[in-house]
Amino acid sequence: MSARVTGKPRGVGRCGYGQRTTIALTARTGFPFFAQAAAQAMEDAAVLAGCLADRPEDPSAALRRYKDIRRPRATRVQLMSRGRAEGNHLPDGPAQQARDASFASADPFAQSGWIYGHDAELSVREALAAD
């Protein structure tokens, strides 16, 4: 598989073909910010397991549900990570100083709580309850 490091995140495009799907929506290019590669893969596994457990007789439907549950979050994580690529590598100067000041005055855990506090199994239960 080849992918450009710049451009559209792969999670935004098509990830399934009939009964085949990309098992991890995170199996695409991404930047190493927020330490999310392994965490996203574990979330993918938890959601996939929940979807397959709910529809063992219809794996295609389970894979569609998996994609529907995971795509918005995986895309959001990837876009946010890509957005940090420029800001994290500013040359010394006013923009870099302003960035550093914003880091010093903000609580990074409060801003990123949606990443680290996510419950992938709960996302499956909520999707099943909504059906």
Side-chain angles (χ1 to χ4, degrees):
M1 165 179 26
S2 66
R4 293 180 16 196
V5 173
T6 58
K8 182 171 148 182
R10 297 185 75 115
V12 176
R14 185 175 179 171
C15 65
Y17 303 91
Q19 291 188 2
R20 295 172 289 139
T21 195
T22 304
I23 294 302
L25 284 171
T26 54
R28 56 207 164 299
T29 61
F31 290 98
F33 306 122
F34 298 96
Q36 283 301 292
Q40 291 296 298
M42 287 185 277
E43 288 181 18
D44 286 339
V47 172
L48 182 59
C51 292
L52 289 169
D54 181 61
R55 300 297 274 295
E57 75 289 348
D58 191 354
S60 292
L63 291 173
R64 283 191 300 276
R65 174 171 280 141
Y66 158 78
K67 178 190 70 175
D68 292 344
I69 293 170
R70 289 296 297 152
R71 178 176 277 156
R73 178 171 167 76
T75 300
R76 181 179 179 199
V77 168
Q78 215 177 39
L79 290 172
M80 185 232 9
S81 179
R82 287 175 173 271
R84 293 296 295 268
E86 183 177 325
N88 282 11
H89 298 283
L90 293 171
D92 291 345
Q96 170 262 323
Q97 292 169 354
R99 180 211 54 209
D100 292 353
S102 74
F103 287 165
S105 66
D107 179 353
F109 293 111
Q111 292 177 343
S112 303
W114 67 272
I115 300 171
Y116 304 113
H118 182 69
D119 184 336
E121 292 174 330
L122 177 61
S123 68
V124 175
R125 290 192 303 273
E126 290 173 345
L128 295 175
D131 285 350

